[in-house]
DNA sequence: GCGAACGTTCAGAAATTTCTGAAGGCTGGA
DNA sequence: TCCAGCCTTCAGAAATTTCTGAACGTTCGC
């Protein structure tokens, strides 16, 4: 029967899991609310009601997930409120963003490579650098491949 | 000249970056200490000295990164202390582990798909499910490809 | 222009995470 | 068996993160 309660429960469960994956609590809850809503867009007030938190908290959470590129601000004619909606490419965007964190790590490793002389440390650092460089190169292709597959089905 | 100070600085910088990527502070510092050491293995005492922290902290940090599969406990004949060393496949392991987090998220999403009726939410959830399923399938192949490339050089 | 509804910011409270230091247990040699 | 060194555990302190609520801008209808 997919009741309202089940829906909320599933949403909260996903939020919890995202927190486990490193996301901030309120951001995760807000994101889940978007995912599980059948509306095209939500206002800050809608979120506050749905999640049962203060307007301030919603403001912070929304700010964060907008910055992550997962939702966007839209203006709805005839409504005074600000509306937000999930972006179509939210998940591929999120994936790419995570790789910008990888990029930071890579930069730090490269500094390390320059800072140490020959030896075991250099070998380890070089290996790490190679692996993360590889990942960074491959990631865009992966996303590309997914989108292709989703659009067209099998390639020639 | 790659002095000792530069080495430590680079190590601390990498640790900080890893923290930014979601790792716990002390675990990250310990990991960086292993990476940047020219020794084959380190003892808990070595780490405490290098990082300037209590034995208790080291114990916790080591426990964590052992569990992550990044270092391993080894017994050195003639030494009473426990030695730890980085595992060869540390980075590919770490990458795979991160994908087990993805697996948790995927499970939660699938529950969501079952909990909602037809509508926008179902579409969004299904899209998310498809993307993460795709990633989970591709990840092992990526790692495989990296190792192949590293072993063999260019493919025919 | 005025007023009201909305959203944002920020200081402080609350909760959570992280580190330490002391106490205790295990291991190997004498 | 006893001792000494090393590691782990755990309760509490310290630091950090997270949430709230009130005050302040902004914008739109009138």
């Amino acid at each position: 029967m997919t009741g309202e309660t089940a829906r909320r429960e599933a949403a909260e469960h996903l939020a919890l899991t995202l927190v486990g994956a490193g996301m901030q609590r309120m951001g995760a809850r807000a994101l889940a609310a978007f995912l599980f809503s059948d509306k095209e867009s939500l206002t800050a007030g809608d979120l506050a009601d749905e999640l049962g938190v203060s307007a301030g908290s919603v403001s912070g959470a929304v700010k964060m997930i907008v910055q992550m590129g997962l939702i966007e601000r839209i203006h709805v004619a005839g409504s005074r409120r600000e509306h937000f909606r999930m972006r179509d490419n939210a998940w591929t965007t999120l994936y790419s963003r995570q790789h910008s964190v990888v990029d930071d790590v890579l930069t730090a490793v490269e500094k390390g490579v320059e800072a140490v002389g020959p030896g075991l440390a250099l070998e380890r650092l070089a290996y790490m650098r190679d692996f993360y460089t590889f990942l960074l190169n491959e990631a865009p292709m992966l996303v590309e491949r997914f989108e292709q597959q989703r659009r067209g089905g099998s390639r020639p």
Side-chain angles (χ1 to χ4, degrees), chain A:
Chain A
M1 229 330 110
T2 72
E4 182 63 10
T5 317
R7 200 181 56 77
R8 283 212 187 175
E9 222 165 77
E12 286 297 335
H13 179 58
L14 176 60
L16 262 276
T17 311
L18 288 173
V19 170
M23 201 176 276
Q24 263 106 330
R25 193 179 132 83
M26 198 52 86
R29 291 187 70 202
L31 184 59
F34 276 103
L35 253 184
F36 279 82
S37 167
D38 276 331
K39 295 189 191 154
E40 175 67 29
S41 65
L42 297 176
T43 67
D46 292 339
L47 282 172
D49 289 348
E50 173 77 22
L51 303 176
V53 297
S54 73
S57 297
V58 170
S59 180
V62 159
K63 190 175 178 181
M64 161 180 315
I65 56 184
V66 163
Q67 198 180 336
M68 281 174 126
L70 301 179
I71 64 177
E72 62 191 348
R73 205 174 288 255
I74 58 178
H75 287 286
V76 174
S79 167
R80 183 124 96 213
R81 311 178 173 198
E82 298 229 53
H83 288 244
F84 300 90
R85 76 164 167 222
M86 283 204 73
R87 300 186 63 182
D88 290 340
N89 52 352
W91 305 112
T92 51
T93 300
L94 182 59
Y95 183 66
S96 303
R97 293 273 171 145
Q98 280 170 359
H99 278 271
S100 88
V101 172
V102 172
D103 197 45
D104 291 346
V105 172
L106 189 52
T107 303
V109 172
E110 276 163 352
K111 267 194 196 153
V113 167
E114 289 164 20
V116 305
L120 265 179
L122 185 58
E123 279 177 41
R124 291 198 204 93
L125 286 165
Y127 185 92
M128 182 177 178
R129 181 196 56 196
D130 292 347
F131 181 61
Y132 280 90
T133 301
F134 176 80
L135 278 189
L136 232 40
N137 280 336
E138 295 288 328
M141 295 196 232
L142 256 194
V143 171
E144 174 69 22
R145 203 127 47 84
F146 171 71
E147 283 173 344
Q148 221 168 62
Q149 174 180 311
R150 173 155 261 267
R151 260 186 258 122
S154 52
R155 276 164 291 171

